[in-house]
Amino acid sequence: MGLTYRDYLREELFPQMWCAGCSHGISLTAVARAMAALKLDPAETVVVTGIGCWGKADDYFKTHSFHGTHGRALSFATGIKVANPRLKVLVLMGDGDGVTIGGNHFIHTARRNIDVTAVITNNFNYGMTGGQYSSSSPEGTISTTSLYGTAEPGFDICELARAAGATYVARTTPYHVTQMDKLLAEAIQHKGFSVVEIISSCPTFFARYNYKVTAVEMMRLFKERAVDRERYDALTAAEKAGCFLTGRLHREEKEDFHTKYARLQQQAKARAEREVV
Amino acid sequence: MAEFKFLQGNEACVEGAVAAGARFFAGYPITPSSEVAQAASVKLPPLGGYYIQMEDEIASMAAIIGASLSGLKSFTATSGPGFSLMQENLGMAIMGEVPCVIINVSRGGPSTGLATKQAQGDVMQSRWGTHGDHAMIVLTPSSVQECFDQTVRAFNLSEKYRCPVIVLTDKTIGHLRERIEVRGPEEIEVIDRKKPDCAPSQYKSCAPDDDGVAPLPSYGDRHLLRINSSMHGEEGFLNDSPANATALVRRLWDKIEKNVSYIGKIEGYRLEGAETVIIAFGIAARAARRAVTLARAGGIRVGLVKLLTLWPFPYAQIREALDPNCRSLLVAELNMGQLVLEVERLFKDKKILRVNKWSGEDILPGEIMAALKEAGC
Ligand code: SF4
C-alpha cells in the first residue's frame, strides 16, 4: 500500500492539543510509525481511547476510532475485537484509564488474553483534571490532591500486566524513540494481549511538582534512569528504586481468547446438530 | 418455522433476540435475570455467535457497544444494582448512537434490596438513570409471548434509530412459564441498521439523514467510523460550542421523541364506555386486566390501557383510546408511585387514583377492585 506514518495521521488537526513539552506527541507519532511499519490497513484498524490527555489521541488517527467513557476502553475494545477478529485494535490509555479506574478491566482483559494492544502512557498523575495522584504515582508523590505526599504505593504496570496474564509486556520512554517504535510494532504484531507502557513526562504537573524540572530535563532523566534487564539486575535495591526497567519484559506464545472461542463455537455447533438428530 | 415452546420470560427474551439477529451477548450474572445469560450462553455459540461473561455490568455494557459497532447485533441482561452500573455506558450508547438492547428484569430495591423479589421500581431509572438530557426507549412485556415479541421490537427500534433500547420486565414475568409461539426470522419483521451509500471519503459518522439518523458502517468497513462520547460535530470530532451542544442534544432527543407515533404502543381492554381506566404495564397490567373483567361483570364501567411502550410515554395514543366518558385514571404499579407522576402531569383533566405496592409481592386483582370501590367507581 506504501503508506508512510504521515498517512495515518490527521496532520490538518495539528498542532496537537497537548502542553508544550508534553511527551504524548512523541508517543503519537511512534504509534503511527508502527502502523506504517506493519502496513496496517486503516479500514481494519481501530484506535480506542478513554478519557485524559492521551485519551485525545484518537482524534489524530486516520483509522476507525472509538472515544468513550473513562476507564472502559479495554471493555469496548473487547467487544470490538471479539465481534470482528480481523481487526487490529489499539487501545491508548493513560495510567488513570489503564490501571486505576480501569484496573479491573485491565486485569480481566489480560487474563482472557484478548488480542488487542494496550499502549499505556504512564505520567504518574491525572494531567487533564489538573494533576491529581493516580494508582501509579509512587509513594510520597506530590500532586494537587497530595500536597503532603501520598501514603500509598503505586502500581508497577508491567508487573501487574504480567501477573494478570498479558502475553507481551514492554516498557519504554519518550527518550528512547527507536526502542519505542520497535516495541510498539512487536506488540501490535503479537497475537494475544500486549501491553506497552510508555513512561511519560507531564511537565505541567508531575514533573514540576516532583522533580522540579522542565520538559527538557525530564528527557535527560529518562535517558539516565532507563535501564535494560541486564543492567537492572546488577543494581542494588536502592539504585533500582530510582530507575525504570525498560525493553521487552515478557513474551509468551499462548492461544488468544478468539482462537479458543472459535473452537468452542465449533464444538457447540457439532453438539447442537447431534442433539437435533 | 414457528414452534410452540413452554418457556420462561427470561428464555423468551433470548429466543426473540436470536430471531431478531442478535449474535453477541455480554453480561454479569444477577438474580433474577441470570436465566437470560444462561440461555444466551447455550444458544449463541452454535450459531457462530458469542457469549462473554464480563467482570461487571459496566464492562458488559461496554462490550455490547463495541461488538455492535463491529457489526453484530448485541444485548445484555441485568437487574437492580447491575442496571445502576450500566447507566454510565447507557449514556455512551446514546451519545455514540450505538444500537444495542438491555433486558432489565427488575427487582426490589434500593441497593441490593429484595434480590429475589418483585418490583417495578425502575420506571424512572430506565428513563432518567444516565446523566444529562436524553430520550430513551423502554418496552414493557406483560407475558412470556410479549417477552419474545418485545425483544424483537427492541432490536428493530435500536437498529432503526441507532440507540440503546431497554426491555423492562420484572421478576415475575422473567420467571413465569407460558406456552408461546417462537417465530423464525423469516416470519417476523427484522430491521437492520442503515449503512452508508456514499463514497467512503464522503462519509461523516454523525451526519444525520432527513430522519435524524446517521448511517452506520461497521469497524472493518471502508467507511471510517468515528464514535465519540463527548459532544461532537458531524465528523465525530470534539465540538463543545454552545450551538453544537444545543443542536446535537436536540437531535438525539428528537429522533426518538418525535417518533412516538411509531415507537409508542398500547393495548386497550374494554375501554368502551369506561368511566375509569386503569393504566398499567408488565405484570401489574395482568392483574389489572383480571380486575377489569371482574368489575365489568359487577356492572362497574372500567377499562384498561396496557403500556407496551413505557418511554417515550405514549400520551397521544392513550388520550385517543379513552372513552369520552372517562373521568378518572387509576395507575397500578409495583412501586411507591413513579408512572403516576407522568400520568398526573399529562392528564390534568382527570381524577388520578393510585394503587401501589413495594413489598416484593405482586398486585392482586382484588386489591385493584378494592381501590376502585373505595374511589366510588
Ligand atoms: S497536563 Fe501533562 S499530560 Fe496533559 S497535556 Fe499537559 S503535560 Fe501532557
Side-chain angles (χ1 to χ4, degrees):
Chain A
M1 218 177 330
L3 296 181
T4 74
Y5 81 95
R6 296 180 65 174
D7 296 309
Y8 291 90
L9 291 173
R10 296 184 190 272
E11 290 183 346
E12 67 276 16
L13 296 184
F14 288 4
Q16 298 147 11
M17 54 81 66
W18 298 303
C19 305
C22 177
S23 64
H24 288 343
I26 297 170
S27 308
L28 179 81
T29 43
V31 172
R33 279 194 299 274
M35 288 174 172
L38 298 174
K39 301 189 169 55
L40 298 191
D41 179 352
E44 302 231 318
T45 305
V46 189
V47 171
V48 182
T49 62
I51 301 296
C53 297
W54 181 232
K56 292 294 296 166
D58 61 282
D59 274 5
Y60 301 119
F61 286 102
K62 258 187 228 164
T63 61
H64 290 285
S65 74
F66 183 99
H67 176 75
T69 45
H70 190 37
R72 320 300 173 204
L74 284 170
S75 309
F76 295 117
T78 296
I80 290 168
K81 177 69 186 184
V82 170
N84 182 355
R86 274 197 345 270
L87 298 171
K88 279 286 181 199
V89 182
L90 278 69
V91 190
L92 312 186
M93 303 176 289
D95 40 307
D97 257 332
V99 297
T100 312
I101 186 169
N104 197 26
H105 311 310
F106 182 74
I107 57 175
H108 287 282
T109 311
R111 176 179 63 79
R112 294 187 187 104
N113 200 21
I114 304 282
D115 181 24
V116 301
T117 299
V119 181
I120 305 186
T121 56
N122 179 9
N123 60 15
F124 308 101
N125 78 159
Y126 295 98
M128 184 164 268
T129 47
Q132 300 83 9
Y133 68 93
S134 81
S135 75
S136 76
S137 306
E139 190 165 335
T141 288
I142 308 296
S143 74
T144 51
T145 47
S146 59
L147 287 180
Y148 314 115
T150 55
E152 47 185 282
F155 268 138
D156 178 326
I157 294 176
C158 290
E159 285 289 325
L160 181 66
R162 184 182 176 153
T167 45
Y168 182 100
V169 181
R171 186 188 284 125
T172 185
T173 88
Y175 180 80
H176 302 85
V177 175
T178 318
Q179 183 193 49
M180 193 188 294
D181 287 6
K182 180 178 147 269
L183 294 175
L184 283 171
E186 260 185 25
I188 296 168
Q189 254 183 324
H190 176 81
K191 188 137 180 82
F193 186 51
S194 52
V195 178
V196 178
E197 178 190 2
I198 304 174
I199 300 290
S200 302
S201 68
C202 174
T204 303
F205 296 111
F206 189 83
R208 187 159 58 91
Y209 286 129
N210 292 279
Y211 295 110
K212 304 198 170 30
V213 296
T214 64
V216 177
E217 286 160 327
M218 274 305 280
M219 289 301 248
R220 188 171 301 123
L221 218 118
F222 290 145
K223 179 185 172 194
E224 288 162 2
R225 297 204 182 176
V227 291
D228 61 17
R229 170 71 73 188
E230 213 175 307
R231 272 173 60 207
Y232 188 80
D233 287 344
L235 297 176
T236 65
E239 287 168 331
K240 276 180 182 154
C243 290
F244 308 115
L245 173 60
T246 55
R248 188 176 69 221
L249 306 181
H250 179 64
R251 178 162 67 176
E252 66 182 305
E253 296 301 324
K254 231 184 195 176
E255 276 187 334
D256 71 312
F257 175 86
H258 207 278
T259 307
K260 292 182 189 176
Y261 203 90
R263 202 161 47 231
L264 183 151
Q265 285 171 320
Q266 287 307 321
Q267 287 162 357
K269 191 163 173 240
R271 184 165 151 187
E273 279 161 7
R274 267 203 315 278
E275 277 166 13
V276 167
V277 174
Chain B
M1 268 291 290
E3 270 183 279
F4 287 91
K5 292 188 179 176
F6 187 61
L7 293 178
Q8 255 191 357
N10 282 344
E11 295 164 340
C13 288
V14 177
E15 295 282 354
V18 168
R23 290 297 180 269
F24 187 96
F25 179 99
Y28 188 88
I30 186 166
T31 305
S33 77
S34 298
E35 296 84 3
V36 182
Q38 287 165 16
S41 76
V42 173
K43 289 227 83 147
L44 292 173
L47 298 170
Y50 300 90
Y51 169 87
I52 183 164
Q53 200 158 293
M54 298 302 285
E55 50 274 18
D56 58 28
E57 288 85 350
I58 301 173
S60 303
M61 196 59 218
I64 68 166
I65 287 171
S68 175
L69 294 170
S70 280
L72 295 188
K73 290 187 185 176
S74 304
F75 68 125
T76 186
T78 192
S79 182
F83 188 51
S84 299
L85 284 180
M86 287 185 180
Q87 296 303 331
E88 179 193 52
N89 284 330
L90 256 173
M92 170 82 234
I94 293 168
M95 195 58 150
E97 300 186 77
V98 186
C100 54
V101 170
I102 299 93
I103 317 279
N104 178 20
V105 188
S106 69
R107 70 186 219 188
S111 190
T112 47
L114 293 170
T116 61
K117 294 196 177 175
Q118 171 66 332
Q120 293 181 315
D122 292 348
V123 172
M124 286 300 172
Q125 189 186 203
S126 61
R127 175 64 188 86
W128 291 112
T130 197
H131 62 282
D133 288 307
H134 59 271
M136 186 60 91
I137 301 177
V138 182
L139 310 182
T140 45
S142 69
S143 67
V144 177
Q145 182 69 56
E146 284 176 7
C147 283
F148 178 92
D149 298 340
Q150 294 269 64
T151 305
V152 170
R153 197 159 79 91
F155 274 97
N156 286 344
L157 293 173
S158 78
E159 294 283 316
K160 184 175 170 70
Y161 295 110
R162 254 188 88 168
C163 66
V165 175
I166 295 166
V167 179
L168 178 61
T169 76
D170 56 65
K171 184 251 163 196
T172 302
I173 296 290
H175 287 168
L176 188 67
R177 284 188 184 273
E178 291 179 304
R179 186 171 184 265
I180 69 158
E181 187 182 14
V182 173
R183 289 180 286 274
E186 64 292 343
E187 297 158 302
I188 55 174
E189 185 194 14
V190 174
I191 298 176
D192 293 321
R193 63 193 68 174
K194 241 183 347 187
K195 292 270 197 168
D197 52 14
C198 61
S201 60
Q202 301 302 307
Y203 175 68
K204 294 177 182 171
S205 304
C206 311
D209 293 340
D210 292 341
D211 60 359
V213 183
L216 181 65
S218 300
Y219 289 138
D221 290 351
R222 302 315 302 177
H223 297 75
L224 294 184
L225 179 60
R226 281 193 56 78
I227 296 293
N228 195 338
S229 59
S230 298
M231 204 62 73
H232 50 272
E234 292 196 333
E235 294 187 59
F237 294 109
L238 180 81
N239 181 342
D240 57 4
S241 73
N244 184 62
T246 306
L248 178 56
V249 174
R250 166 61 71 192
R251 176 173 72 76
L252 297 180
W253 176 280
D254 281 354
K255 74 176 179 180
I256 294 177
E257 292 287 340
K258 289 228 163 126
N259 286 301
V260 188
S261 58
Y262 182 80
I263 301 166
K265 207 170 169 189
I266 62 167
E267 226 174 73
Y269 176 62
R270 308 207 58 178
L271 291 170
E272 68 294 341
E275 290 164 5
T276 301
V277 170
I278 304 172
I279 297 182
F281 70 93
I283 191 70
R286 293 181 71 160
R289 189 185 164 98
R290 177 73 185 146
V292 168
T293 305
L294 293 173
R296 283 280 185 169
I300 305 173
R301 299 167 82 80
V302 185
L304 167 70
V305 166
K306 176 172 91 179
L307 305 182
L308 286 159
T309 305
L310 179 60
W311 304 109
F313 190 70
Y315 168 68
Q317 279 121 317
I318 299 173
R319 180 62 84 178
E320 202 184 316
L322 298 181
D323 191 279
N325 291 323
C326 171
R327 279 178 285 111
S328 32
L329 298 173
L330 184 150
V331 183
E333 50 184 332
L334 288 164
N335 54 50
M336 291 184 76
Q338 297 187 19
L339 173 60
V340 72
L341 301 175
E342 188 72 354
V343 174
E344 277 170 350
R345 186 176 77 82
L346 293 165
F347 293 92
K348 296 223 162 61
D349 55 324
K350 312 274 183 225
K351 186 174 161 204
I352 309 294
L353 308 168
R354 305 171 171 222
V355 173
N356 300 104
K357 202 168 176 181
W358 55 93
S359 61
E361 304 154 299
D362 278 302
I363 291 181
L364 303 174
E367 292 171 312
I368 298 174
M369 293 282 288
L372 288 170
K373 285 210 179 97
E374 198 183 316
C377 301

